[in-house]
């Protein structure tokens, strides 16, 4: 793409109603973010800029660091951190330039800068979006994978590259510099995210030599808080068409566009160690407990999303919206939410779970997003636990058969053990446990063999869950999916229900 590019020097050319709601030049940095990707820029950054605009408190600009690739920093650098959020809903596209990111760098390219910013006296809040796999933990136990080679190298004292290593070393430098208290806010999709992250930090600190770790652990206990957080906004990959539409709306070229839906939600546990942006002024819900909101979202939305992704990809659908046009898939998701998930939930205050489920279905049907089934299907080993296995365990404990939730897990098992979809389209396994999964399913020819092999991957499945009726129901579903394909399996199951 050619033409004039979005930057501070060209911002005046943008239509006034599309410019940032705050003057980027007026902002100081008070938030440090690890994992600057599309979701952070479409979600937390938008809320933070809104909080600044509503309050006039300009301390809360964001310094962001990428986790691995420096590609996002390379895109945002020439644009002075400016980028467009493009909201799509069916045939409608709305754009707005966001200017709250005041410093964006590659975390891998400049590891020292990450620690400097974490330890800076102006940093009062650290936020993270590094995806579930970025924490290098065992999803079944919630513990840090100390055997991981990168974690071990960070513990040995090299410039840290893992997110937990960077966070701990930044807190250690903060202690050394007497930089004051700080709140660390995990914004990734797993239950009790703040407490889980605090536990991973404790695991790392406990693995340090006691002369070093004991003092640091005591300082973290006294000076750092790890509130829980629940986030929600669908943010698919940006396409060339999105870049063209943003250019038409702005009149400038923007190579860092993020595309998202109109819906957005953020619920935060009100437990901070220091000052924070006034996020409630921008629509964030501060609460004493995130857990009921978090569980409802993870199980109703994320569990359904994963189920649609695996069934849809196996049936040959490229996008979530296309899969939802299949009446059988939509019916399965509706039954999953009504029959299996909702009975396991205590409704959050002010939330109608039936209406929430209808909203979820509407969001999945948004064809304008182009959210691919394969994007949602990635990293399933990290997602199954909070999204589907929790529902299954609670249903079994209550004496109910979690038929549709188990179908979602069986669809994952079919997806990761098959080389192609029902129509012959090649499938690619993109998962941090890919080799473990391949080993578990290698040279196995029956549904029972695949189920038993994958249930033996204890990083995903609790051995107590892998026995009894759940295992038998999995074998039945997987046998049907392998023999009859997705469409026939779902039609017959719905007709019989």
């Amino acid at each position: 793409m050619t033409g004039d590019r979005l930057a501070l020097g060209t911002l005046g050319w943008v239509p006034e109603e599309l410019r940032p709601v705050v003057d980027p030049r007026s902002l100081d940095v008070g938030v440090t973010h690890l994992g600057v990707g599309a979701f952070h820029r479409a979600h937390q950054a938008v809320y933070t800029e809104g909080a600044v605009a509503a309050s006039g408190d300009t301390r809360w600009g964001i310094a962001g660091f990428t986790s691995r690739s420096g590609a996002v920093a390379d895109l945002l650098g020439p644009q002075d951190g400016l980028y467009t959020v493009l909201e799509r809903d069916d045939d409608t596209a709305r754009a707005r330039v966001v200017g709250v990111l005041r410093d964006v760098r590659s975390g891998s390219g400049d590891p020292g800068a990450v620690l400097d910013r974490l330890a800076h006296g102006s940093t009062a809040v650290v936020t993270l979006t590094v995806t579930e796999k970025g924490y290098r933990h065992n999803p079944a136990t919630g513990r840090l994978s100390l055997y991981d080679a990168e974690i071990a190298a960070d513990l040995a004292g090299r410039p840290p590259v893992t997110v937990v290593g960077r966070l701990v070393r930044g807190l250690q430098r903060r202690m050394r510099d007497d930089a004051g208290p700080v709140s660390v806010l995990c914004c990734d999709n797993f239950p009790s995210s703040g407490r889980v992250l605090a536990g991973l930090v404790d695991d790392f600190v406990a693995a340090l030599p006691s002369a070093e770790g004991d003092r640091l652990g005591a300082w973290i206990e006294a000076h750092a808080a790890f509130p829980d957080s629940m986030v929600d906004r669908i943010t698919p990959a940006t396409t060339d068409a999105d870049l063209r539409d943003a250019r038409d709306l702005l009149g400038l070229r923007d190579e860092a566009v993020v595309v998202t839906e109109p819906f957005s939600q953020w619920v935060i546990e009100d437990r901070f160690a220091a000052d924070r942006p006034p996020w409630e002024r921008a629509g964030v819900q501060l609460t004493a407990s995130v857990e009921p909101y978090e569980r409802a979202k993870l199980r109703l939305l994320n569990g359904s999303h994963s189920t649609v992704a695996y069934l849809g990809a196996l049936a040959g659908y490229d996008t979530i919206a296309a899969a939802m046009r299949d009446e059988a898939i939509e019916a399965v998701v509706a039954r999953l939410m009504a029959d299996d998930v909702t009975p396991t939930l205590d409704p959050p205050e002010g939330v109608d779970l039936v209406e929430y489920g209808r909203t979820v279905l509407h969001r999945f049907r948004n064809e304008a997003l182009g959210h691919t089934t394969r994007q949602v299907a990635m990293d399933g080993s990290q997602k199954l636990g909070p999204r589907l296995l929790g529902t299954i365990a609670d249903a079994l404990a209550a004496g109910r058969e979690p038929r549709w939730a188990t179908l979602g897990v069986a669809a994952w098992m079919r997806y990761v053990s098959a080389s192609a979809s029902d129509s012959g389209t090649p499938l690619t396994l993109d998962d941090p446990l890919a080799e473990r999964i391949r080993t578990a399913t290698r040279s196995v020819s029956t549904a029972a063999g695949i189920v038993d092999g994958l249930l033996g991957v204890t990083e995903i499945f609790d051995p107590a869950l892998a026995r009894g009726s759940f295992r038998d129901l999995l074998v039945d579903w997987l046998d049907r999916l392998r023999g009859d394909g997705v469409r026939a399996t779902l039609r017959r199951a719905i007709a019989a229900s």
Side-chain angles (χ1 to χ4, degrees):
M1 298 176 67
T2 59
D4 292 304
R5 188 169 179 179
L6 177 66
L8 287 175
T10 59
L11 186 57
W13 303 356
V14 173
E16 186 173 358
E17 66 274 14
L18 305 185
R19 296 176 198 168
V21 293
V22 299
D23 179 0
R25 298 176 182 86
S26 71
L27 299 177
D28 297 319
V29 171
V31 178
T32 296
H33 183 79
L34 305 183
V36 178
F39 180 76
H40 167 69
R41 290 183 285 135
H43 189 272
Q44 297 102 54
V46 172
Y47 277 109
T48 302
E49 183 165 290
V52 172
S55 66
D57 188 345
T58 59
R59 293 176 296 160
W60 302 113
I62 300 172
F65 295 89
T66 62
S67 293
R68 297 178 300 277
S69 167
V72 172
D74 291 341
L75 292 175
L76 287 168
Q79 298 185 181
D80 301 314
L82 302 178
Y83 63 93
T84 306
V85 174
L86 186 67
E87 288 187 4
R88 291 195 177 279
D89 188 13
D90 296 329
D91 296 328
T92 303
R94 292 175 292 274
R96 184 189 124 195
V97 176
V98 174
V100 74
L101 277 174
R102 300 319 316 130
D103 186 16
V104 184
R105 305 191 197 187
S106 167
S108 57
D110 196 354
V114 180
L115 303 188
D116 289 343
R117 179 49 66 181
L118 289 171
H120 199 283
S122 70
T123 297
V125 177
V126 177
T127 54
L128 303 92
T129 51
V130 297
T131 75
E132 295 92 334
K133 67 182 177 183
Y135 294 92
R136 297 179 183 266
H137 73 307
N138 183 324
T141 65
R143 302 303 299 272
L144 187 65
S145 298
L146 295 173
Y147 57 82
D148 181 280
E150 300 293 347
I151 292 289
D154 282 359
L155 283 165
R158 70 155 179 203
V161 303
T162 69
V163 66
V164 175
R166 285 174 178 165
L167 184 56
V168 171
R169 295 303 187 185
L171 293 174
Q172 189 172 34
R173 186 174 296 184
R174 194 173 184 90
M175 175 185 70
R176 182 199 69 188
D177 296 347
D178 195 22
V182 66
S183 302
V184 182
L185 195 57
C186 173
C187 301
D188 282 298
N189 277 318
F190 47 84
S192 303
S193 57
R195 286 164 175 78
V196 169
L197 179 55
L200 301 180
V201 167
D202 287 346
D203 289 343
F204 191 99
V205 171
L208 295 170
S210 60
E212 180 182 12
D214 291 352
R215 179 169 175 254
L216 176 57
W219 185 91
I220 292 173
E221 177 70 23
H223 295 87
F226 295 81
D228 289 336
S229 171
M230 188 278 280
V231 297
D232 189 6
R233 197 172 207 191
I234 295 173
T235 309
T238 301
T239 67
D240 289 341
D242 297 323
L243 297 177
R244 288 193 295 271
D245 286 350
R247 180 189 58 193
D248 291 342
L249 291 167
L250 266 64
L252 292 171
R253 179 168 55 100
D254 178 359
E255 296 188 4
V257 176
V258 292
V259 61
T260 190
E261 61 176 335
F263 182 91
S264 185
Q265 185 181 22
W266 196 5
V267 182
I268 305 174
E269 179 186 12
D270 195 2
R271 184 172 60 89
F272 289 82
D275 203 358
R276 60 167 177 80
W279 282 309
E280 66 274 20
R281 299 282 298 273
V284 176
Q285 185 170 355
L286 278 296
T287 180
S289 175
V290 171
E291 192 274 337
Y293 301 90
E294 179 180 71
R295 179 172 292 197
K297 186 258 182 175
L298 283 168
R299 295 187 179 188
L300 284 171
L301 186 139
N302 294 119
S304 298
H305 217 190
S306 290
T307 299
V308 173
Y310 295 122
L311 292 172
L314 290 168
Y317 296 114
D318 290 332
T319 67
I320 295 294
M324 288 294 289
R325 290 199 297 271
D326 187 312
E327 293 181 358
I329 291 178
E330 181 171 9
V332 162
V333 174
R335 284 166 169 77
L336 166 65
M337 290 192 288
D339 298 350
D340 290 354
V341 178
T342 299
T344 71
L345 300 175
D346 293 322
E349 183 179 355
V351 176
D352 181 331
L353 294 179
V354 174
E355 182 58 31
Y356 185 90
R358 292 194 190 103
T359 300
V360 167
L361 294 176
H362 173 77
R363 293 168 65 192
F364 289 174
R365 296 188 199 104
N366 187 350
E367 296 184 14
L369 288 181
H371 207 184
T372 67
T373 52
R374 296 193 183 200
Q375 182 183 0
V376 180
M378 289 171 55
D379 305 333
S381 68
Q382 313 295 296
K383 298 173 178 177
L384 284 182
R387 297 185 178 202
L388 289 166
L389 297 182
T391 292
I392 290 166
D394 286 351
L396 291 172
R400 294 190 301 271
E401 180 184 71
R403 182 169 181 75
W404 307 107
T406 304
L407 170 59
V409 178
W412 171 79
M413 289 186 167
R414 175 63 177 155
Y415 183 89
V416 301
S417 62
S419 59
S421 70
D422 294 346
S423 59
T425 305
L427 298 175
T428 301
L429 177 57
D430 189 342
D431 194 289
L433 294 183
E435 193 51 44
R436 288 277 282 120
I437 292 168
R438 292 190 185 100
T439 299
T441 57
R442 190 173 290 134
S443 303
V444 179
S445 59
T446 66
I450 292 170
V451 168
D452 290 338
L454 289 172
L455 288 178
V457 181
T458 56
E459 294 93 332
I460 305 173
F461 296 98
D462 183 339
L465 187 62
R467 298 188 292 268
S469 60
F470 173 55
R471 182 261 181 197
D472 296 339
L473 187 55
L474 272 175
V475 172
D476 181 53
W477 276 126
L478 184 58
D479 195 46
R480 295 191 203 188
L481 291 171
R482 296 176 82 222
D484 301 332
V486 168
R487 291 184 179 87
T489 295
L490 300 191
R491 283 198 299 268
R492 290 169 186 162
I494 292 165
S497 64

